[in-house]
């Protein structure tokens, strides 16, 4: 995965490490690097910021011997990428919140929103599985009463991890399903309610209005946007619109395993100010990982050297 971005960094490093760091040369190479980032779905604003960071850092780079350029450049790239990715540790943020709510007898309500096919339903079940691995129980509300097959899909996945699903009929009120699930969680002393919702686009006002209603009625502690890493630059705009409309706390970037470019992983948190809580790394229900910034950077830079 992430081949495109790796190549952009590799090219920059190859060029710069074999030349002396004169200002005009740096400028030319960094400009090429920036265009390559944009071609790999990095948002223009982020590509510009990275280019600026790299230029500034390279200008002030003092390398005593030529042979040490390579290490110094790796360091510069690492610091620059690191500065644009917001990471959050799900255990000290999300899981801790669930635990502290549970200790006062309150289920934590988590609402999942996002575009069609982004990976919401799969991610809901993965998160349920993740919580289970931390010794925390959950109930899933099937508030997608809209798409044919949505209830069966969710039930099938939830069964695989042994989690209960609360559902109504197709065409029913999604907010009412969420309320039922919250009630069931309280009664059974379950720690978390995960609300799966129907996919909607950021331009569909009616569905966004319905999303707002689900949020108002269920009053979630956490709202998670699930986006598709493969959507590249589009995902950044989508998160922004969802954030404006319903307000989100975290991002799950699904399908990172299939992303050959890597632009959305680099851009999405910088452009929205919201951290990536997890990334989806496959279709299996264990394929959910906290975003490991260091590892992402190593992956990106990995093939370079
Ligand atoms: N490779 C890979 N596939 C994924 C990942 N997450 C989800 N998928 C696949 O993406 C497809 C869509 O996933 P869903 O979870 O149904 O997406 P959704 O957002 O609920 O879709 P709608 O409810 O129709 O809006 C399914 O085939 C999933 O198996 C991931 O991290 N990696
Ligand atoms: Mg779904």
């Amino acid at each position: 995965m992430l081949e495109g971005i790796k190549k952009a960094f590799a090219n920059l490093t190859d060029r710069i490490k074999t030349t002396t760091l004169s200002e005009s040369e740096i400028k030319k190479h960094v400009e090429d690097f920036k265009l390559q980032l944009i071609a790999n779905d990095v948002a223009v604003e982020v590509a510009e910021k990275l280019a600026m960071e790299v230029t500034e850092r390279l200008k002030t780079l003092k390398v005593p011997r030529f042979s040490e350029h390579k290490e110094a450049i790796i360091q510069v790239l690492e610091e620059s990428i690191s500065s644009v990715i917001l990471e959050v540790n799900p255990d000290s943020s999300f899981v801790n919140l669930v635990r502290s709510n549970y200790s006062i007898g309150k289920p934590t309500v988590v609402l999942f929103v996002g575009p069609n096919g982004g990976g919401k339903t799969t991610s809901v079940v993965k998160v349920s599985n993740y919580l289970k691995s931390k010794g925390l129980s959950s109930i899933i509300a099937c508030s997608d009463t809209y798409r044919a097959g949505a209830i069966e899909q969710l039930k099938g996945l939830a069964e695989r991890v042994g989690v209960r699903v609360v559902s109504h009929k197709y065409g029913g009120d999604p907010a009412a399903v969420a309320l039922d699930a919250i009630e069931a969680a309280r009664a059974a002393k379950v720690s978390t309610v995960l609300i799966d919702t129907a996919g909607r686009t950021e331009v569909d006002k009616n569905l966004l209005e319905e999303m707002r209603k689900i949020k108002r009625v269920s009053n979630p502690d956490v709202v998670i946007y699930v986006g598709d890493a493969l959507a590249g630059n589009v995902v950044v705009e989508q998160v922004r619109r969802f954030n404006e409309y319903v307000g989100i706390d975290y991002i799950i970037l699904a399908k990172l395993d299939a992303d050959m470019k890597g632009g959305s992983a680099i851009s999405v948190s910088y452009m929205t100010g919201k951290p990536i809580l997890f990334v989806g790394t496959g279709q299996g229900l264990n394929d959910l990982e906290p975003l490991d910034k260091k590892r992402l950077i190593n992956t990106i830079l990995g093939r370079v050297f």
Side-chain angles (χ1 to χ4, degrees):
M1 61 185 199
L2 309 173
E3 267 66 18
I5 296 290
K6 279 180 201 161
K7 203 154 176 290
F9 284 106
N11 285 351
L12 176 72
T13 320
D14 268 352
R15 287 175 192 177
I16 285 180
K17 78 183 178 203
T18 53
T19 129
T20 49
L21 301 176
S22 89
E23 205 161 306
S24 64
E25 273 168 330
I26 289 177
K27 204 169 165 205
K28 180 188 172 302
H29 295 318
V30 169
E31 187 59 27
D32 287 350
F33 165 68
K34 188 178 88 183
L35 294 177
Q36 223 172 329
L37 289 178
I38 294 168
N40 282 294
D41 286 344
V42 172
V44 174
E45 233 176 293
V46 179
E48 275 169 0
K49 159 131 173 107
L50 274 173
M52 206 179 69
E53 291 261 342
V54 170
T55 308
E56 284 311 305
R57 284 169 209 248
L58 286 180
K59 265 192 218 163
T60 56
L61 194 67
K62 290 202 172 49
V63 186
R65 279 177 292 119
F66 180 78
S67 61
E68 288 168 20
H69 270 174
K70 200 168 97 175
E71 259 316 303
I73 292 165
I74 296 174
Q75 183 72 25
V76 165
L77 293 177
E78 224 179 86
E79 285 167 8
S80 305
I81 308 170
S82 188
S83 71
V84 299
I85 301 172
L86 301 180
E87 68 183 337
V88 63
N89 179 337
D91 293 338
S92 57
S93 56
F94 177 60
V95 174
N96 252 1
L97 175 74
V98 174
R99 282 196 209 288
S100 77
N101 281 340
Y102 189 63
S103 71
I104 55 167
K106 180 187 171 323
T108 301
V109 178
V110 188
L111 179 64
F112 290 75
V113 302
N116 301 83
K120 291 175 300 300
T121 303
T122 315
S123 298
V124 165
V125 180
K126 285 177 178 179
V127 168
S128 169
N129 202 26
Y130 186 84
L131 289 170
K132 195 174 172 187
S133 76
K134 304 284 167 189
L136 294 163
S137 54
S138 52
I139 281 184
I140 301 175
C142 186
S143 291
D144 183 353
T145 58
Y146 185 74
R147 182 174 61 76
I151 300 174
E152 292 75 14
Q153 180 201 8
L154 178 57
K155 282 188 171 163
L157 291 172
E159 201 172 302
R160 280 164 50 190
V161 297
V163 175
R164 183 177 157 199
V165 172
V166 172
S167 63
H168 289 183
K169 288 196 186 100
Y170 286 106
D173 177 8
V177 185
L179 282 186
D180 260 7
I182 294 169
E183 218 25 72
R186 280 206 190 98
K189 299 201 173 1
V190 166
S191 73
T192 325
V193 180
L194 306 171
I195 306 171
D196 186 22
T197 61
R200 57 204 82 215
T201 62
E202 70 280 13
V203 291
D204 191 331
K205 287 276 181 284
N206 285 341
L207 282 175
L208 285 176
E209 223 23 81
E210 183 197 72
M211 188 78 265
R212 273 181 159 167
K213 184 187 167 196
I214 302 173
K215 186 178 177 189
R216 195 170 59 242
V217 171
S218 65
N219 191 23
D221 300 276
V222 179
V223 180
I224 298 179
Y225 175 90
V226 182
D228 181 343
L230 298 172
N233 240 322
V234 172
V235 85
V236 173
E237 195 45 35
Q238 283 173 340
V239 189
R240 275 181 158 176
R241 297 288 283 273
F242 269 80
N243 190 35
E244 270 168 30
Y245 222 82
V246 286
I248 64 159
D249 300 299
Y250 298 118
I251 297 164
I252 290 182
L253 201 53
K255 309 182 201 177
L256 194 63
D257 53 299
D259 182 16
M260 303 303 270
K261 291 183 169 175
S264 46
I266 290 189
S267 326
V268 76
S269 52
Y270 179 75
M271 294 296 288
T272 59
K274 304 294 173 184
I276 298 177
L277 184 67
F278 289 109
V279 293
T281 55
Q283 290 187 302
L285 299 177
N286 285 315
D287 298 331
L288 183 78
E289 295 171 20
L291 176 72
D292 185 338
K293 191 155 81 169
K294 186 98 190 142
R295 210 171 98 198
L296 176 67
I297 294 169
N298 284 341
T299 311
I300 292 167
L301 299 178
R303 291 218 188 129
V304 174
F305 307 104

